[in-house]
Amino acid sequence: LSRHRRNQSQHGVALTVATAFEPLVDLKGEHLNVAKISENGKKQRKNWTSMWTVLTTDELLLYKDKQETGVKTGGKTDVVQLCGAVIDWTTEKSSKKNVFQITTNTGSEYLIQADSYSTASKWLDAIRRTVDSSTKEDRGFALRKSNSSEFLPRHSSLPGHGSASPSMKQRNPVHRRSINMFGSSKLKHSASDSADKNGVKNRLKKFIIRRPSMKTLQEKGLIKDRVFGCHLLTLCEQEELDLDHSQWEDIHVITGALKMFFRELPEPLFPFRFFQQFVEAVKIKESKQKTLAVKKLIQQMPKPNHDTLKLLFSHLQRVLAFSRENLMSTQGIGIVFGPTLMWPELDAGNMAVNMIYQNQIVEFILIESREIFNLDRK
């Protein structure tokens, strides 16, 4: 019976080792766009380069050219260590589509991008499985302190320490003994750990009960209502302002704040659902039909948006009346306010085309504003 168990154990070890070095994916090399934005925690300038990318059992190999894959290790452009790495999609680090980020355990950061979503998704899933497998096996990767070049020693309390190979355990019996000692001490203190958790939970409950209400914080001036980045309807309900007050005399402060206010709205002054409809309306060739179509869309807008548009374009008409002094034409105002007042909810890579329509729509409304908003009627 003991011999049978020993054979079973050896067979299990052999299977584990074989599985550890077995390729997780069947991915051949492929050209991907790569940008290294950080090395060991130090930021780098983002430069996209097409790289021949090869995935191994624990590394991502990056080559400048496909032919370099046959040369020795020194010929590799870069080697991304996947053990202990973090990988996920990102939309903040690049305006490109289908971008995911790899952050290594030493603080290096890579952006990987493919023109096809299916290609990018295929590589992300394959790399993620490799990261999970290599990290689970814990092949001795070092842990580095945050914002420091000092590496932390491995400790039995860290996850995955017990997954060291059987041969390592046999060669270092003292190390194995320390694990057992730590394990026993952990069992002894489990009751106190539970008590500490309950204590923290009780303190949090008392804090939540004693915390002041939102109304109290607002009365004390600790929390103030937002102006920038606030929904237009909410802002209309909470503000009353006297624009004739002397504090608004600096024209540069007014114009800068005005553009920033509209850009910071969570939804533009021209609501998202109207964007494509205005684009179609401004494409109409016959002038009178175009005016009627644009006027109808503006009348369908929510009241705060409609009234704000009417007031804004009424003001811009006064700006045009002094065009000789301020050098602002309808085209110039369209260029300034087009991207400020409207933008699509999802930009499908047509930024340049959208900008043309944004400018044309604002310019057309400015030209026809008296008819669209009935400015001459009392």
Side-chain angles (χ1 to χ4, degrees):
L1 180 62
S2 60
R3 188 185 300 113
H4 177 68
R5 286 178 177 169
R6 186 165 63 251
N7 291 340
Q8 262 191 334
S9 175
Q10 291 173 353
H11 181 65
V13 170
L15 282 177
T16 302
V17 173
T19 304
F21 290 93
E22 184 182 55
L24 293 174
V25 291
D26 184 20
L27 272 183
K28 297 180 180 179
E30 192 168 1
H31 275 110
L32 299 175
N33 297 319
V34 181
K36 189 174 185 178
I37 60 174
S38 175
E39 183 171 8
N40 298 329
K42 295 181 180 178
K43 298 295 181 182
Q44 292 189 335
R45 180 177 294 179
K46 180 172 61 179
N47 290 320
W48 287 101
T49 309
S50 178
M51 307 288 284
W52 183 256
T53 309
V54 178
L55 179 62
T56 69
T57 54
D58 57 356
E59 294 175 338
L60 193 67
L61 308 180
L62 305 174
Y63 301 89
K64 286 185 178 179
D65 191 71
K66 182 178 179 180
Q67 283 73 23
E68 293 186 11
T69 55
V71 300
K72 59 183 180 180
T73 306
K76 300 181 182 66
T77 301
D78 209 343
V79 179
V80 184
Q81 299 292 339
L82 298 178
C83 189
V86 177
I87 178 172
D88 209 344
W89 294 106
T90 179
T91 56
E92 300 175 355
K93 300 294 180 68
S94 173
S95 59
K96 290 177 176 289
K97 301 294 183 182
N98 313 321
V99 179
F100 60 88
Q101 177 175 335
I102 302 175
T103 305
T104 68
N105 68 309
T106 58
S108 296
E109 296 175 313
Y110 298 82
L111 299 181
I112 313 291
Q113 189 267 349
D115 295 334
S116 166
Y117 171 76
S118 60
T119 301
S121 180
K122 172 185 68 176
W123 277 90
L124 180 137
D125 292 339
I127 296 171
R128 179 176 283 162
R129 289 197 296 270
T130 303
V131 168
D132 293 342
S133 175
S134 58
T135 305
K136 184 177 181 181
E137 291 297 328
D138 189 14
R139 298 172 185 171
F141 68 89
L143 297 177
R144 186 167 62 87
K145 286 184 177 180
S146 177
N147 299 324
S148 171
S149 59
E150 181 182 351
F151 287 88
L152 296 173
R154 300 297 298 168
H155 194 279
S156 56
S157 64
L158 294 175
H161 185 83
S163 61
S165 64
S167 58
M168 287 293 291
K169 292 183 179 180
Q170 292 173 2
R171 286 200 302 267
N172 195 350
V174 176
H175 184 63
R176 182 175 59 187
R177 207 162 43 242
S178 66
I179 294 175
N180 293 335
M181 291 171 63
F182 181 81
S184 62
S185 64
K186 187 176 180 181
L187 290 175
K188 290 178 183 177
H189 293 287
S190 61
S192 62
D193 289 345
S194 178
D196 289 341
K197 289 180 181 178
N198 290 333
V200 171
K201 195 179 294 184
N202 291 332
R203 287 197 294 273
L204 283 173
K205 286 182 178 178
K206 290 179 181 178
F207 172 77
I208 292 171
I209 293 172
R210 292 198 305 267
R211 70 178 180 176
S213 64
M214 181 69 72
K215 184 178 180 181
T216 303
L217 293 174
Q218 289 175 338
E219 289 174 351
K220 290 183 177 180
L222 297 176
I223 294 181
K224 297 182 179 180
D225 293 326
R226 290 190 304 168
V227 174
F228 289 87
C230 174
H231 279 286
L232 196 59
L233 178 59
T234 306
L235 190 63
C236 289
E237 292 175 347
Q238 72 187 25
E239 295 291 333
E240 288 181 4
L241 291 175
D242 180 12
L243 295 179
D244 293 326
H245 195 277
S246 59
Q247 65 176 323
W248 308 113
E249 289 179 356
D250 190 337
I251 189 63
H252 300 292
V253 172
I254 293 291
T255 54
L258 185 65
K259 288 187 290 185
M260 184 183 293
F261 167 77
F262 286 123
R263 285 300 297 172
E264 292 296 319
L265 286 174
E267 186 176 30
L269 190 58
F270 288 75
F272 289 131
R273 64 183 183 275
F274 287 91
F275 182 86
Q276 194 57 42
Q277 297 181 59
F278 273 102
V279 170
E280 297 302 323
V282 83
K283 289 180 181 179
I284 299 174
K285 293 183 179 180
E286 207 281 316
S287 179
K288 187 170 288 187
Q289 291 183 7
K290 185 190 297 187
T291 303
L292 290 175
V294 171
K295 182 176 182 178
K296 184 177 180 181
L297 287 173
I298 291 178
Q299 289 175 343
Q300 292 174 0
M301 285 186 178
K303 183 174 173 52
N305 299 65
H306 175 275
D307 292 350
T308 304
L309 271 174
K310 183 176 181 179
L311 181 64
L312 175 62
F313 278 91
S314 176
H315 168 70
L316 292 177
Q317 279 289 335
R318 292 196 295 272
V319 172
L320 278 177
F322 295 90
S323 59
R324 289 186 178 181
E325 289 81 4
N326 56 40
L327 303 179
M328 290 300 293
S329 62
T330 55
Q331 186 178 11
I333 292 176
I335 292 172
V336 171
F337 281 93
T340 300
L341 300 179
M342 64 187 310
W343 59 88
E345 186 171 12
L346 296 175
D347 189 356
N350 298 322
M351 186 180 297
V353 177
N354 289 337
M355 188 172 293
I356 293 173
Y357 286 124
Q358 289 164 338
N359 300 348
Q360 288 181 353
I361 292 167
V362 171
E363 184 180 356
F364 180 79
I365 294 175
L366 185 59
I367 294 171
E368 302 292 338
S369 58
R370 297 189 181 278
E371 173 63 27
I372 292 173
F373 296 106
N374 302 322
L375 296 182
D376 293 330
R377 302 175 189 176
K378 294 183 179 180

